[in-house]
Amino acid sequence: MINRSDYPADFLFGTATSAYQIEGHKFGGAGSTHWDSFAATPGNVMGLGNGQLACDHYHRFEEDLDLVAAAGFDTYRFSTSWARIIPDGVGSVNQQGLDFYDRLTDAMLERGLKPAATLYHWEMPSALEDRGGWRNSDIAKLFGDFTEVVMACIGDRMFSVAPINEPWCVGWLSHFEGVHAPGLRDIRATSRAMHHVLCAHGTAIARMRALGIKNLGAVCNFEYANPIDNEPENCAAAARYDAIYNRFFMGGIFNKAYPDLVLEGIEPFLPKRWQDDFDLIGVPIDWCGINYYTRSNLGHKEGAWPNIQTHEGPLDKTEMGWEIYSDGLFDFIMRTHQEYTLGLPIYVTENGMANDDFVKNGVVNDDARLEYISAHLLAVLKAVKQGVPLAGYYVWSLLDNYEWSLGYEKRFGLVHVDFETQKRTPKKSYLELKKALKC
Ligand code: FCB
């Protein structure tokens, strides 16, 4: 395991969660979201699990933040739920919802934790999904309105804010692969969602600047695209995957352009005059967050664009079946610095693994997680030593939680949660990280 003293003195260590995955959506007057209806549809989510109770963080946040602080973390990344704050997505504000984030913020500050907010981590209010959700071009403005409501309340106390978690998941995974809510598989829906999510990002940044909120960024996810061999058509498939996953959103935000390899498939379906939105999408920001977990092994597939087939790879895998490949994190940090952010601070805003964890005699031996985190922290250190302005690293996740379409089956937490009793048990990885953060 690394030690804190191996890193620059102002490097921040943190851990991350998201609203729907932990809070318990049934509490506090929150409105319905597209994850509630997606989860209620057979075949979408393992065990039909939803976020109605989750980790009951809504009532237990003090205890949970005590765990964050006791581990020695400097910062906590959380998200705000649109439907908790504005149950119908537009119009009346649910004061109880705002009060919750107000209390949460103060509770972080009381413990010396820097609050790192994400405005949207995937739960769209159902009333807005009914109006087309991310497919509707009005969504950027409505998201801007939501942003103002949240930030007028807690913005003065945030360390950092990012509008949207992982635009690739919001656009592609949810509208092309149908794996996440709203579960669509439609290229027109995908193209529009991919573009509108970036318009929403830019709108939120502009609204927050106008409110005087500081330290605004973007959080994108990355997956290393490895061709299965050197055959040109397999390499081309990997390059397309890389462009869709790793270059489209970064290109829009930092270079005001979309990669040709993506446009060749989606351009016919983009909204009219999409090029006119780049000044909004590419509005300057202060930092970039990288979420990184794994790599994919890719080959050519006959049929319709994007002609990509994913293959099982040879590396060790986590409980998600995801290959463990820490060199990929190093590569993405370098690429982000050299091709996109050009000197802005970079954070690793999510990294971690699912493991088959269970409590035995009060102990959870998750050595595999410890190894995973250590390997990725070494990749971070390597990039720091090459002069990249890396400013922090967040472990996903503080708690075992609602892992979206995999329900409660996959455990990513540093802290084990018994979903029957809500008992929290710090795992070995938590205890070892706590030691490392003291040294
Ligand atoms: C990321 C998500 C997070 C969690 C992890 C495992 O893509 O941001 O909510 O599901 O994956």
Side-chain angles (χ1 to χ4, degrees), residues 17-18 21 77 121-122 165-166 169 173 180 219 221 245 291 293 320 322 350 352 354 396-397 401-404 412:
T17 63
S18 90
Q21 291 180 277
R77 179 170 175 255
H121 197 128
W122 301 357
N165 181 64
E166 302 186 348
C169 291
L173 188 67
H180 279 186
V219 172
N221 57 322
Y245 207 123
N291 291 359
Y293 290 92
M320 298 291 274
W322 294 351
E350 281 184 31
W396 182 270
S397 181
N401 59 43
Y402 179 61
E403 183 42 42
W404 307 111
F412 272 90

Side-chain angles (χ1 to χ4, degrees), residues 45-50 401-410:
V45 176
M46 245 184 231
L48 289 173
N50 59 39
N401 59 43
Y402 179 61
E403 183 42 42
W404 307 111
S405 53
L406 298 170
Y408 291 92
E409 304 285 314
K410 303 294 173 196

Side-chain angles (χ1 to χ4, degrees), residues 290 329-337 346 380 383 388 390:
I290 293 180
L329 176 57
F330 174 76
D331 278 26
F332 283 124
I333 293 170
M334 298 311 290
R335 179 200 280 190
T336 297
H337 176 57
I346 296 173
V380 167
V388 179
L390 260 171

Side-chain angles (χ1 to χ4, degrees), residues 93-113:
V93 170
N94 169 32
Q95 193 57 43
Q96 284 184 82
L98 264 188
D99 289 348
F100 171 68
Y101 295 112
D102 193 43
R103 289 198 299 277
L104 187 71
T105 298
D106 284 343
M108 284 181 243
L109 295 177
E110 279 160 21
R111 290 163 179 79
L113 296 166

Side-chain angles (χ1 to χ4, degrees), residues 59 91 93 108-109 146 166 233 262 264 301 359 382 394:
H59 297 110
V93 170
M108 284 181 243
L109 295 177
F146 161 63
E166 302 186 348
E233 62 175 11
V262 186
E264 75 189 14
K301 183 184 181 177
V359 185
K382 188 169 153 197
Y394 293 79

Side-chain angles (χ1 to χ4, degrees), residues 28-40:
S32 155
T33 80
H34 69 181
W35 265 98
D36 298 306
S37 53
F38 182 75

